[in-house]
mmCIF file of all heavy atoms in Angstrom:
data_model
loop_
_atom_site.group_PDB
_atom_site.id
_atom_site.type_symbol
_atom_site.label_atom_id
_atom_site.label_comp_id
_atom_site.label_asym_id
_atom_site.label_seq_id
_atom_site.Cartn_x
_atom_site.Cartn_y
_atom_site.Cartn_z
ATOM 1 N N SER D 219 -22.074 -1.841 -3.247
ATOM 2 C CA SER D 219 -22.483 -1.031 -4.398
ATOM 3 C C SER D 219 -22.888 0.382 -3.999
ATOM 4 O O SER D 219 -22.738 1.321 -4.784
ATOM 5 C CB SER D 219 -23.619 -1.708 -5.158
ATOM 6 O OG SER D 219 -24.793 -1.724 -4.375
ATOM 7 N N LYS D 220 -23.371 0.553 -2.782
ATOM 8 C CA LYS D 220 -23.812 1.877 -2.331
ATOM 9 C C LYS D 220 -22.672 2.694 -1.738
ATOM 10 O O LYS D 220 -22.845 3.875 -1.455
ATOM 11 C CB LYS D 220 -24.924 1.731 -1.295
ATOM 12 C CG LYS D 220 -26.176 1.104 -1.873
ATOM 13 C CD LYS D 220 -27.197 0.819 -0.809
ATOM 14 C CE LYS D 220 -28.363 0.061 -1.438
ATOM 15 N NZ LYS D 220 -29.167 -0.632 -0.463
ATOM 16 N N ASN D 221 -21.531 2.061 -1.524
ATOM 17 C CA ASN D 221 -20.429 2.723 -0.817
ATOM 18 C C ASN D 221 -19.074 2.545 -1.496
ATOM 19 O O ASN D 221 -18.049 2.528 -0.818
ATOM 20 C CB ASN D 221 -20.349 2.167 0.608
ATOM 21 C CG ASN D 221 -21.592 2.470 1.399
ATOM 22 O OD1 ASN D 221 -21.850 3.609 1.731
ATOM 23 N ND2 ASN D 221 -22.382 1.440 1.679
ATOM 24 N N ILE D 222 -19.048 2.419 -2.808
ATOM 25 C CA ILE D 222 -17.796 2.122 -3.502
ATOM 26 C C ILE D 222 -16.722 3.177 -3.233
ATOM 27 O O ILE D 222 -15.613 2.851 -2.817
ATOM 28 C CB ILE D 222 -18.026 1.957 -5.021
ATOM 29 C CG1 ILE D 222 -18.866 0.709 -5.285
ATOM 30 C CG2 ILE D 222 -16.697 1.868 -5.757
ATOM 31 C CD1 ILE D 222 -19.294 0.532 -6.720
ATOM 32 N N LYS D 223 -17.043 4.439 -3.450
ATOM 33 C CA LYS D 223 -16.020 5.483 -3.285
ATOM 34 C C LYS D 223 -15.503 5.593 -1.855
ATOM 35 O O LYS D 223 -14.290 5.659 -1.646
ATOM 36 C CB LYS D 223 -16.528 6.812 -3.814
ATOM 37 C CG LYS D 223 -16.618 6.802 -5.339
ATOM 38 C CD LYS D 223 -16.712 8.178 -5.924
ATOM 39 C CE LYS D 223 -16.815 8.054 -7.426
ATOM 40 N NZ LYS D 223 -15.789 8.772 -8.118
ATOM 41 N N PRO D 224 -16.393 5.590 -0.824
ATOM 42 C CA PRO D 224 -15.853 5.626 0.544
ATOM 43 C C PRO D 224 -15.014 4.392 0.891
ATOM 44 O O PRO D 224 -14.043 4.495 1.632
ATOM 45 C CB PRO D 224 -17.100 5.688 1.430
ATOM 46 C CG PRO D 224 -18.196 6.152 0.553
ATOM 47 C CD PRO D 224 -17.849 5.736 -0.839
ATOM 48 N N ILE D 225 -15.367 3.243 0.340
ATOM 49 C CA ILE D 225 -14.592 2.031 0.607
ATOM 50 C C ILE D 225 -13.206 2.152 -0.004
ATOM 51 O O ILE D 225 -12.206 1.807 0.631
ATOM 52 C CB ILE D 225 -15.333 0.776 0.091
ATOM 53 C CG1 ILE D 225 -16.546 0.501 0.983
ATOM 54 C CG2 ILE D 225 -14.407 -0.431 0.040
ATOM 55 C CD1 ILE D 225 -17.489 -0.544 0.457
ATOM 56 N N ILE D 226 -13.132 2.678 -1.211
ATOM 57 C CA ILE D 226 -11.825 2.862 -1.849
ATOM 58 C C ILE D 226 -10.983 3.849 -1.039
ATOM 59 O O ILE D 226 -9.783 3.633 -0.834
ATOM 60 C CB ILE D 226 -11.993 3.309 -3.314
ATOM 61 C CG1 ILE D 226 -12.604 2.156 -4.123
ATOM 62 C CG2 ILE D 226 -10.662 3.747 -3.915
ATOM 63 C CD1 ILE D 226 -13.047 2.519 -5.507
ATOM 64 N N THR D 227 -11.608 4.903 -0.539
ATOM 65 C CA THR D 227 -10.906 5.862 0.313
ATOM 66 C C THR D 227 -10.405 5.180 1.580
ATOM 67 O O THR D 227 -9.267 5.415 2.022
ATOM 68 C CB THR D 227 -11.822 7.054 0.671
ATOM 69 O OG1 THR D 227 -12.228 7.693 -0.535
ATOM 70 C CG2 THR D 227 -11.114 8.047 1.566
ATOM 71 N N GLN D 228 -11.231 4.308 2.165
ATOM 72 C CA GLN D 228 -10.832 3.581 3.372
ATOM 73 C C GLN D 228 -9.664 2.633 3.099
ATOM 74 O O GLN D 228 -8.776 2.472 3.944
ATOM 75 C CB GLN D 228 -12.017 2.800 3.951
ATOM 76 C CG GLN D 228 -13.055 3.670 4.605
ATOM 77 C CD GLN D 228 -12.492 4.412 5.802
ATOM 78 O OE1 GLN D 228 -11.762 3.851 6.612
ATOM 79 N NE2 GLN D 228 -12.806 5.683 5.902
ATOM 80 N N ILE D 229 -9.660 2.011 1.924
ATOM 81 C CA ILE D 229 -8.548 1.122 1.562
ATOM 82 C C ILE D 229 -7.268 1.934 1.428
ATOM 83 O O ILE D 229 -6.211 1.541 1.936
ATOM 84 C CB ILE D 229 -8.866 0.336 0.269
ATOM 85 C CG1 ILE D 229 -9.998 -0.667 0.531
ATOM 86 C CG2 ILE D 229 -7.624 -0.385 -0.245
ATOM 87 C CD1 ILE D 229 -10.547 -1.318 -0.722
ATOM 88 N N ARG D 230 -7.370 3.083 0.769
ATOM 89 C CA ARG D 230 -6.192 3.957 0.619
ATOM 90 C C ARG D 230 -5.674 4.379 1.994
ATOM 91 O O ARG D 230 -4.472 4.327 2.258
ATOM 92 C CB ARG D 230 -6.558 5.179 -0.214
ATOM 93 C CG ARG D 230 -5.396 6.098 -0.476
ATOM 94 C CD ARG D 230 -5.822 7.296 -1.295
ATOM 95 N NE ARG D 230 -4.665 7.875 -1.940
ATOM 96 C CZ ARG D 230 -4.718 8.751 -2.902
ATOM 97 N NH1 ARG D 230 -5.878 9.164 -3.365
ATOM 98 N NH2 ARG D 230 -3.620 9.244 -3.437
ATOM 99 N N ASP D 231 -6.584 4.775 2.879
ATOM 100 C CA ASP D 231 -6.201 5.175 4.232
ATOM 101 C C ASP D 231 -5.586 4.011 5.006
ATOM 102 O O ASP D 231 -4.623 4.190 5.754
ATOM 103 C CB ASP D 231 -7.401 5.735 4.993
ATOM 104 C CG ASP D 231 -7.906 7.058 4.428
ATOM 105 O OD1 ASP D 231 -7.200 7.685 3.606
ATOM 106 O OD2 ASP D 231 -9.032 7.453 4.794
ATOM 107 N N ALA D 232 -6.136 2.808 4.819
ATOM 108 C CA ALA D 232 -5.612 1.631 5.513
ATOM 109 C C ALA D 232 -4.192 1.310 5.047
ATOM 110 O O ALA D 232 -3.341 0.933 5.859
ATOM 111 C CB ALA D 232 -6.533 0.428 5.289
ATOM 112 N N PHE D 233 -3.933 1.476 3.761
ATOM 113 C CA PHE D 233 -2.566 1.270 3.258
ATOM 114 C C PHE D 233 -1.625 2.294 3.898
ATOM 115 O O PHE D 233 -0.511 1.957 4.289
ATOM 116 C CB PHE D 233 -2.504 1.393 1.740
ATOM 117 C CG PHE D 233 -2.998 0.178 0.993
ATOM 118 C CD1 PHE D 233 -3.249 0.257 -0.359
ATOM 119 C CD2 PHE D 233 -3.203 -1.038 1.619
ATOM 120 C CE1 PHE D 233 -3.694 -0.847 -1.071
ATOM 121 C CE2 PHE D 233 -3.649 -2.148 0.923
ATOM 122 C CZ PHE D 233 -3.891 -2.054 -0.427
ATOM 123 N N GLU D 234 -2.088 3.531 4.009
ATOM 124 C CA GLU D 234 -1.260 4.581 4.604
ATOM 125 C C GLU D 234 -1.016 4.295 6.097
ATOM 126 O O GLU D 234 0.104 4.436 6.577
ATOM 127 C CB GLU D 234 -1.912 5.945 4.414
ATOM 128 C CG GLU D 234 -1.005 7.109 4.716
ATOM 129 C CD GLU D 234 0.268 7.146 3.890
ATOM 130 O OE1 GLU D 234 0.222 6.856 2.676
ATOM 131 O OE2 GLU D 234 1.329 7.471 4.464
ATOM 132 N N ARG D 235 -2.066 3.884 6.818
ATOM 133 C CA ARG D 235 -1.919 3.571 8.245
ATOM 134 C C ARG D 235 -0.987 2.381 8.474
ATOM 135 O O ARG D 235 -0.315 2.293 9.496
ATOM 136 C CB ARG D 235 -3.277 3.257 8.881
ATOM 137 C CG ARG D 235 -4.116 4.462 9.209
ATOM 138 C CD ARG D 235 -5.315 4.089 10.074
ATOM 139 N NE ARG D 235 -6.093 2.967 9.597
ATOM 140 C CZ ARG D 235 -7.079 3.048 8.697
ATOM 141 N NH1 ARG D 235 -7.415 4.212 8.186
ATOM 142 N NH2 ARG D 235 -7.741 1.974 8.326
ATOM 143 N N ASN D 236 -0.970 1.468 7.534
ATOM 144 C CA ASN D 236 -0.156 0.259 7.650
ATOM 145 C C ASN D 236 1.112 0.320 6.813
ATOM 146 O O ASN D 236 1.716 -0.712 6.517
ATOM 147 C CB ASN D 236 -0.988 -0.967 7.249
ATOM 148 C CG ASN D 236 -2.077 -1.257 8.250
ATOM 149 O OD1 ASN D 236 -1.812 -1.727 9.331
ATOM 150 N ND2 ASN D 236 -3.314 -0.930 7.884
ATOM 151 N N LYS D 237 1.512 1.511 6.462
ATOM 152 C CA LYS D 237 2.684 1.707 5.589
ATOM 153 C C LYS D 237 3.928 1.022 6.157
ATOM 154 O O LYS D 237 4.644 0.330 5.431
ATOM 155 C CB LYS D 237 2.932 3.198 5.387
ATOM 156 C CG LYS D 237 4.047 3.521 4.438
ATOM 157 C CD LYS D 237 4.138 5.036 4.234
ATOM 158 C CE LYS D 237 5.187 5.390 3.211
ATOM 159 N NZ LYS D 237 5.193 6.843 2.940
ATOM 160 N N GLU D 238 4.177 1.188 7.453
ATOM 161 C CA GLU D 238 5.366 0.583 8.061
ATOM 162 C C GLU D 238 5.318 -0.941 7.975
ATOM 163 O O GLU D 238 6.323 -1.586 7.680
ATOM 164 C CB GLU D 238 5.527 1.045 9.506
ATOM 165 C CG GLU D 238 6.012 2.479 9.620
ATOM 166 C CD GLU D 238 7.311 2.747 8.880
ATOM 167 O OE1 GLU D 238 8.258 1.928 8.995
ATOM 168 O OE2 GLU D 238 7.378 3.757 8.148
ATOM 169 N N ALA D 239 4.160 -1.526 8.239
ATOM 170 C CA ALA D 239 4.027 -2.985 8.167
ATOM 171 C C ALA D 239 4.229 -3.468 6.726
ATOM 172 O O ALA D 239 4.877 -4.497 6.499
ATOM 173 C CB ALA D 239 2.661 -3.424 8.683
ATOM 174 N N ILE D 240 3.697 -2.729 5.774
ATOM 175 C CA ILE D 240 3.871 -3.090 4.357
ATOM 176 C C ILE D 240 5.342 -3.022 3.989
ATOM 177 O O ILE D 240 5.876 -3.927 3.329
ATOM 178 C CB ILE D 240 3.010 -2.181 3.451
ATOM 179 C CG1 ILE D 240 1.518 -2.421 3.698
ATOM 180 C CG2 ILE D 240 3.361 -2.396 1.976
ATOM 181 C CD1 ILE D 240 0.600 -1.389 3.065
ATOM 182 N N LEU D 241 6.022 -1.957 4.409
ATOM 183 C CA LEU D 241 7.445 -1.815 4.102
ATOM 184 C C LEU D 241 8.270 -2.901 4.789
ATOM 185 O O LEU D 241 9.244 -3.404 4.208
ATOM 186 C CB LEU D 241 7.938 -0.420 4.493
ATOM 187 C CG LEU D 241 7.361 0.727 3.650
ATOM 188 C CD1 LEU D 241 7.814 2.077 4.187
ATOM 189 C CD2 LEU D 241 7.739 0.578 2.182
ATOM 190 N N GLN D 242 7.881 -3.318 6.010
ATOM 191 C CA GLN D 242 8.586 -4.402 6.688
ATOM 192 C C GLN D 242 8.407 -5.724 5.939
ATOM 193 O O GLN D 242 9.370 -6.482 5.770
ATOM 194 C CB GLN D 242 8.104 -4.539 8.128
ATOM 195 C CG GLN D 242 8.595 -3.439 9.024
ATOM 196 C CD GLN D 242 8.007 -3.535 10.428
ATOM 197 O OE1 GLN D 242 7.226 -4.437 10.732
ATOM 198 N NE2 GLN D 242 8.386 -2.603 11.287
ATOM 199 N N ALA D 243 7.189 -6.000 5.502
ATOM 200 C CA ALA D 243 6.942 -7.216 4.715
ATOM 201 C C ALA D 243 7.742 -7.163 3.421
ATOM 202 O O ALA D 243 8.329 -8.170 2.997
ATOM 203 C CB ALA D 243 5.448 -7.374 4.421
ATOM 204 N N ASN D 244 7.790 -5.996 2.824
ATOM 205 C CA ASN D 244 8.541 -5.802 1.583
ATOM 206 C C ASN D 244 10.034 -6.042 1.812
ATOM 207 O O ASN D 244 10.710 -6.664 0.983
ATOM 208 C CB ASN D 244 8.268 -4.403 1.041
ATOM 209 C CG ASN D 244 8.904 -4.147 -0.309
ATOM 210 O OD1 ASN D 244 9.609 -3.170 -0.475
ATOM 211 N ND2 ASN D 244 8.649 -5.017 -1.267
ATOM 212 N N LYS D 245 10.568 -5.586 2.958
ATOM 213 C CA LYS D 245 11.986 -5.799 3.271
ATOM 214 C C LYS D 245 12.288 -7.287 3.450
ATOM 215 O O LYS D 245 13.345 -7.769 3.042
ATOM 216 C CB LYS D 245 12.380 -5.031 4.530
ATOM 217 C CG LYS D 245 12.551 -3.560 4.295
ATOM 218 C CD LYS D 245 12.947 -2.833 5.560
ATOM 219 C CE LYS D 245 12.988 -1.333 5.303
ATOM 220 N NZ LYS D 245 13.277 -0.574 6.527
ATOM 221 N N ILE D 246 11.355 -8.016 4.051
ATOM 222 C CA ILE D 246 11.555 -9.463 4.212
ATOM 223 C C ILE D 246 11.595 -10.138 2.844
ATOM 224 O O ILE D 246 12.453 -10.987 2.582
ATOM 225 C CB ILE D 246 10.450 -10.074 5.104
ATOM 226 C CG1 ILE D 246 10.598 -9.563 6.534
ATOM 227 C CG2 ILE D 246 10.487 -11.605 5.060
ATOM 228 C CD1 ILE D 246 9.427 -9.884 7.444
ATOM 229 N N ASP D 247 10.663 -9.754 1.953
ATOM 230 C CA ASP D 247 10.680 -10.309 0.596
ATOM 231 C C ASP D 247 11.997 -9.981 -0.103
ATOM 232 O O ASP D 247 12.581 -10.840 -0.779
ATOM 233 C CB ASP D 247 9.497 -9.779 -0.230
ATOM 234 C CG ASP D 247 8.180 -10.448 0.121
ATOM 235 O OD1 ASP D 247 8.203 -11.585 0.632
ATOM 236 O OD2 ASP D 247 7.126 -9.826 -0.124
ATOM 237 N N GLN D 248 12.478 -8.747 0.053
ATOM 238 C CA GLN D 248 13.750 -8.358 -0.574
ATOM 239 C C GLN D 248 14.911 -9.167 -0.006
ATOM 240 O O GLN D 248 15.779 -9.636 -0.748
ATOM 241 C CB GLN D 248 14.017 -6.877 -0.348
ATOM 242 C CG GLN D 248 13.098 -5.951 -1.105
ATOM 243 C CD GLN D 248 13.327 -4.516 -0.674
ATOM 244 O OE1 GLN D 248 14.456 -4.056 -0.628
ATOM 245 N NE2 GLN D 248 12.253 -3.818 -0.343
ATOM 246 N N LYS D 249 14.920 -9.322 1.340
ATOM 247 C CA LYS D 249 15.981 -10.080 2.009
ATOM 248 C C LYS D 249 16.033 -11.507 1.483
ATOM 249 O O LYS D 249 17.102 -12.100 1.355
ATOM 250 C CB LYS D 249 15.745 -10.071 3.516
ATOM 251 C CG LYS D 249 16.784 -10.805 4.313
ATOM 252 C CD LYS D 249 16.441 -10.767 5.790
ATOM 253 C CE LYS D 249 17.308 -11.738 6.551
ATOM 254 N NZ LYS D 249 16.845 -11.918 7.914
ATOM 255 N N ASN D 250 14.873 -12.063 1.172
ATOM 256 C CA ASN D 250 14.791 -13.431 0.648
ATOM 257 C C ASN D 250 14.940 -13.484 -0.872
ATOM 258 O O ASN D 250 14.632 -14.504 -1.484
ATOM 259 C CB ASN D 250 13.463 -14.063 1.058
ATOM 260 C CG ASN D 250 13.359 -14.258 2.549
ATOM 261 O OD1 ASN D 250 14.365 -14.484 3.211
ATOM 262 N ND2 ASN D 250 12.160 -14.179 3.090
ATOM 263 N N ASN D 251 15.412 -12.400 -1.462
ATOM 264 C CA ASN D 251 15.558 -12.302 -2.927
ATOM 265 C C ASN D 251 14.252 -12.639 -3.637
ATOM 266 O O ASN D 251 14.223 -13.355 -4.639
ATOM 267 C CB ASN D 251 16.682 -13.211 -3.434
ATOM 268 C CG ASN D 251 18.026 -12.738 -2.953
ATOM 269 O OD1 ASN D 251 18.305 -11.545 -2.930
ATOM 270 N ND2 ASN D 251 18.863 -13.682 -2.543
ATOM 271 N N ASN D 252 13.155 -12.138 -3.072
ATOM 272 C CA ASN D 252 11.836 -12.441 -3.620
ATOM 273 C C ASN D 252 11.013 -11.165 -3.766
ATOM 274 O O ASN D 252 9.818 -11.157 -3.498
ATOM 275 C CB ASN D 252 11.112 -13.440 -2.694
ATOM 276 C CG ASN D 252 9.881 -14.016 -3.349
ATOM 277 O OD1 ASN D 252 9.844 -14.181 -4.560
ATOM 278 N ND2 ASN D 252 8.859 -14.294 -2.563
ATOM 279 N N GLY D 253 11.653 -10.077 -4.182
ATOM 280 C CA GLY D 253 10.884 -8.855 -4.352
ATOM 281 C C GLY D 253 11.752 -7.659 -4.680
ATOM 282 O O GLY D 253 12.969 -7.717 -4.611
ATOM 283 N N PHE D 254 11.068 -6.584 -5.026
ATOM 284 C CA PHE D 254 11.735 -5.319 -5.318
ATOM 285 C C PHE D 254 11.276 -4.281 -4.305
ATOM 286 O O PHE D 254 10.317 -4.503 -3.563
ATOM 287 C CB PHE D 254 11.442 -4.851 -6.751
ATOM 288 C CG PHE D 254 9.973 -4.735 -7.071
ATOM 289 C CD1 PHE D 254 9.242 -3.616 -6.696
ATOM 290 C CD2 PHE D 254 9.321 -5.751 -7.748
ATOM 291 C CE1 PHE D 254 7.891 -3.513 -6.991
ATOM 292 C CE2 PHE D 254 7.968 -5.658 -8.050
ATOM 293 C CZ PHE D 254 7.254 -4.531 -7.671
ATOM 294 N N ILE D 255 11.945 -3.155 -4.250
ATOM 295 C CA ILE D 255 11.604 -2.096 -3.312
ATOM 296 C C ILE D 255 10.319 -1.417 -3.773
ATOM 297 O O ILE D 255 10.242 -0.929 -4.903
ATOM 298 C CB ILE D 255 12.742 -1.068 -3.213
ATOM 299 C CG1 ILE D 255 14.009 -1.736 -2.689
ATOM 300 C CG2 ILE D 255 12.342 0.102 -2.315
ATOM 301 C CD1 ILE D 255 15.243 -0.860 -2.743
ATOM 302 N N MET D 256 9.323 -1.416 -2.897
ATOM 303 C CA MET D 256 8.052 -0.776 -3.240
ATOM 304 C C MET D 256 8.158 0.736 -3.066
ATOM 305 O O MET D 256 8.847 1.219 -2.184
ATOM 306 C CB MET D 256 6.919 -1.313 -2.370
ATOM 307 C CG MET D 256 6.495 -2.702 -2.762
ATOM 308 S SD MET D 256 4.995 -3.214 -1.929
ATOM 309 C CE MET D 256 3.836 -2.016 -2.511
ATOM 310 N N ASP D 257 7.427 1.441 -3.908
ATOM 311 C CA ASP D 257 7.404 2.903 -3.873
ATOM 312 C C ASP D 257 5.966 3.347 -3.607
ATOM 313 O O ASP D 257 5.072 3.096 -4.429
ATOM 314 C CB ASP D 257 7.903 3.439 -5.216
ATOM 315 C CG ASP D 257 7.988 4.944 -5.278
ATOM 316 O OD1 ASP D 257 7.501 5.634 -4.354
ATOM 317 O OD2 ASP D 257 8.543 5.450 -6.266
ATOM 318 N N PHE D 258 5.726 3.990 -2.470
ATOM 319 C CA PHE D 258 4.371 4.430 -2.133
ATOM 320 C C PHE D 258 3.880 5.540 -3.053
ATOM 321 O O PHE D 258 2.675 5.765 -3.145
ATOM 322 C CB PHE D 258 4.273 4.832 -0.658
ATOM 323 C CG PHE D 258 3.773 3.716 0.200
ATOM 324 C CD1 PHE D 258 4.625 2.687 0.590
ATOM 325 C CD2 PHE D 258 2.450 3.657 0.594
ATOM 326 C CE1 PHE D 258 4.161 1.637 1.360
ATOM 327 C CE2 PHE D 258 1.973 2.612 1.366
ATOM 328 C CZ PHE D 258 2.829 1.604 1.755
ATOM 329 N N ASN D 259 4.780 6.213 -3.763
ATOM 330 C CA ASN D 259 4.339 7.204 -4.755
ATOM 331 C C ASN D 259 3.563 6.518 -5.879
ATOM 332 O O ASN D 259 2.577 7.061 -6.390
ATOM 333 C CB ASN D 259 5.526 7.977 -5.330
ATOM 334 C CG ASN D 259 6.131 8.914 -4.309
ATOM 335 O OD1 ASN D 259 5.416 9.497 -3.494
ATOM 336 N ND2 ASN D 259 7.446 9.032 -4.325
ATOM 337 N N ILE D 260 3.996 5.320 -6.257
ATOM 338 C CA ILE D 260 3.285 4.574 -7.300
ATOM 339 C C ILE D 260 1.914 4.154 -6.793
ATOM 340 O O ILE D 260 0.912 4.251 -7.510
ATOM 341 C CB ILE D 260 4.113 3.356 -7.766
ATOM 342 C CG1 ILE D 260 5.403 3.830 -8.451
ATOM 343 C CG2 ILE D 260 3.302 2.460 -8.702
ATOM 344 C CD1 ILE D 260 6.367 2.724 -8.819
ATOM 345 N N ILE D 261 1.844 3.711 -5.535
ATOM 346 C CA ILE D 261 0.553 3.329 -4.956
ATOM 347 C C ILE D 261 -0.381 4.534 -4.928
ATOM 348 O O ILE D 261 -1.555 4.433 -5.300
ATOM 349 C CB ILE D 261 0.739 2.741 -3.541
ATOM 350 C CG1 ILE D 261 1.508 1.421 -3.636
ATOM 351 C CG2 ILE D 261 -0.611 2.544 -2.847
ATOM 352 C CD1 ILE D 261 1.927 0.846 -2.303
ATOM 353 N N ASN D 262 0.126 5.684 -4.525
ATOM 354 C CA ASN D 262 -0.691 6.904 -4.510
ATOM 355 C C ASN D 262 -1.151 7.286 -5.909
ATOM 356 O O ASN D 262 -2.288 7.731 -6.091
ATOM 357 C CB ASN D 262 0.074 8.058 -3.859
ATOM 358 C CG ASN D 262 0.231 7.862 -2.365
ATOM 359 O OD1 ASN D 262 -0.603 7.237 -1.721
ATOM 360 N ND2 ASN D 262 1.309 8.377 -1.817
ATOM 361 N N ASN D 263 -0.288 7.098 -6.911
ATOM 362 C CA ASN D 263 -0.676 7.382 -8.302
ATOM 363 C C ASN D 263 -1.785 6.443 -8.769
ATOM 364 O O ASN D 263 -2.701 6.868 -9.488
ATOM 365 C CB ASN D 263 0.524 7.269 -9.241
ATOM 366 C CG ASN D 263 1.486 8.420 -9.090
ATOM 367 O OD1 ASN D 263 1.132 9.483 -8.577
ATOM 368 N ND2 ASN D 263 2.718 8.214 -9.512
ATOM 369 N N ILE D 264 -1.716 5.188 -8.373
ATOM 370 C CA ILE D 264 -2.770 4.225 -8.743
ATOM 371 C C ILE D 264 -4.106 4.710 -8.203
ATOM 372 O O ILE D 264 -5.101 4.782 -8.920
ATOM 373 C CB ILE D 264 -2.442 2.808 -8.219
ATOM 374 C CG1 ILE D 264 -1.253 2.218 -8.976
ATOM 375 C CG2 ILE D 264 -3.664 1.891 -8.325
ATOM 376 C CD1 ILE D 264 -0.687 0.945 -8.371
ATOM 377 N N PHE D 265 -4.133 5.063 -6.913
ATOM 378 C CA PHE D 265 -5.382 5.531 -6.308
ATOM 379 C C PHE D 265 -5.851 6.843 -6.940
ATOM 380 O O PHE D 265 -7.038 7.008 -7.204
ATOM 381 C CB PHE D 265 -5.232 5.690 -4.793
ATOM 382 C CG PHE D 265 -5.404 4.409 -4.052
ATOM 383 C CD1 PHE D 265 -4.298 3.665 -3.652
ATOM 384 C CD2 PHE D 265 -6.667 3.925 -3.754
ATOM 385 C CE1 PHE D 265 -4.460 2.475 -2.962
ATOM 386 C CE2 PHE D 265 -6.838 2.737 -3.065
ATOM 387 C CZ PHE D 265 -5.724 2.010 -2.669
ATOM 388 N N SER D 266 -4.928 7.759 -7.189
ATOM 389 C CA SER D 266 -5.310 9.042 -7.801
ATOM 390 C C SER D 266 -5.938 8.832 -9.167
ATOM 391 O O SER D 266 -6.956 9.446 -9.497
ATOM 392 C CB SER D 266 -4.097 9.965 -7.926
ATOM 393 O OG SER D 266 -3.616 10.312 -6.659
#
């Protein structure tokens, strides 16, 4: 409760730092016909 905004910033940064791993997981889901191509612009818009 005392650190909500910094925690959200840290989550956003963690997604950015792990972007390649997220995209790799996303490619595996796509390969298995179990997902769509993720767009990090949408993720950035959510956080903004």
